[in-house]
Amino acid sequence: MKSIAAAIAILAGSASAFTGVPLVSRTASVSNSAMKMTVWDDYPGGVDFKGGEFKFDPLKLSENYPPLVPWFRESEIRHGRTAMLAVMGFIATDFVRIPGEMYSFEAIPKTIDAHDALLKSGPMYQLLLWIGLWDIIITAPACQALGQGEREAGDYGWKWFAPSDPAKYKKKQESELLNGRLAMCAIGGIATQSIVSGHGFPFI
C-alpha cells in the first residue's frame, strides 16, 4: 500500500504544477509557544499575480507526502518552463518556419498538425532521443541531488543574469512561477482553440 501511495503522489506532481507550492508542516518553538511553519516559509511562490497571498494546496499533498515536496516544486518549475517555450513556439510557427521542406507551410499549413506530420517524416523521433538523453544525463542526477538536499528545485546553475540581491532574486523566482503557471493554462487553451476553430494565431 505504501508503494501505491507513493506512486500516486508522484503522479500527482503533474497536477501540483498547476497549483501553488504544496504545504509542508513542521513545528517550531518561538518564545515558549508553538508556531506551525509551512513550506511557504521556505519556498517562494505563495503569491498571486497582484502580489497578494495565494497558498493553494486543496489536496494537502505536502502535508501527506512531505519528502516529495521538492519534487512537486521541481515538476512545477519544469512544466512551467516547458509551457512558456511551447506558447512561444506555437505562436512563432504561425509566422516563420525553420529551413527544410518538411517544416514548410506547404507541408504543414497549421502548427497543430505538426506533431502527426513530423511523426511520419521522422524528426519527432529525434526529438524524443535528445530529450531522453537529457533526462538520463542531466535530469536524473539533478533529481537525485534534489532528494539529498544538495540543490534547490529548478536550479541547474544557470544564473548568469540572476540578481545578486536576495530580495530581487526571490522576486524573479516568483515571476518565473507565475509566468509558468499562466503558460501552462495558456498552452492548453491554445491547443484546444486551434483544434476547435481550425485557425492559427490568435486562435479564434
Side-chain angles (χ1 to χ4, degrees):
M1 290 299 293
K2 289 184 179 180
S3 60
I4 294 174
I8 293 173
I10 292 172
L11 289 174
S14 297
S16 74
F18 293 91
T19 70
V21 188
L23 299 174
V24 172
S25 295
R26 61 181 180 175
T27 306
S29 177
V30 179
S31 301
N32 298 323
S33 63
M35 182 177 69
K36 191 176 183 181
M37 306 292 289
T38 70
V39 73
W40 307 100
D41 299 301
D42 298 323
Y43 285 82
V47 296
D48 60 19
F49 69 97
K50 294 181 180 179
E53 185 176 282
F54 184 71
K55 300 179 179 181
F56 187 68
D57 183 22
L59 299 180
K60 300 188 182 300
L61 296 176
S62 59
E63 292 182 9
N64 296 322
Y65 307 101
L68 294 177
V69 168
W71 172 248
F72 292 159
R73 170 43 65 87
E74 182 82 19
S75 298
E76 178 180 31
I77 293 175
R78 181 165 179 170
H79 282 85
R81 290 170 179 171
T82 303
M84 287 188 279
L85 291 172
V87 168
M88 292 182 62
F90 228 113
I91 296 173
T93 49
D94 278 339
F95 301 96
V96 63
R97 301 287 176 85
I98 61 176
E101 177 60 31
M102 69 178 68
Y103 308 112
S104 67
F105 287 100
E106 291 75 20
I108 309 173
K110 296 185 294 184
T111 300
I112 194 66
D113 297 325
H115 177 272
D116 291 348
L118 296 177
L119 270 177
K120 296 176 181 177
S121 55
M124 289 297 291
Y125 296 105
Q126 296 181 36
L127 186 62
L128 176 63
L129 171 64
W130 290 113
I131 292 176
L133 288 174
W134 171 273
D135 281 342
I136 292 172
I137 297 171
I138 304 295
T139 304
C143 289
Q144 183 177 14
L146 177 69
Q148 295 172 351
E150 297 173 0
R151 64 180 282 271
E152 293 184 6
D155 183 5
Y156 288 91
W158 300 343
K159 297 182 179 179
W160 303 296
F161 304 106
S164 56
D165 181 78
K168 292 181 179 179
Y169 182 66
K170 182 180 179 181
K171 185 67 176 178
K172 287 289 186 181
Q173 288 179 306
E174 291 175 346
S175 296
E176 180 185 33
L177 285 165
L178 290 172
N179 287 322
R181 291 166 185 170
L182 176 61
M184 285 186 278
C185 295
I187 193 61
I190 288 173
T192 301
Q193 280 296 106
S194 295
I195 295 171
V196 171
S197 69
H199 300 150
F201 184 81
F203 315 109
I204 56 177

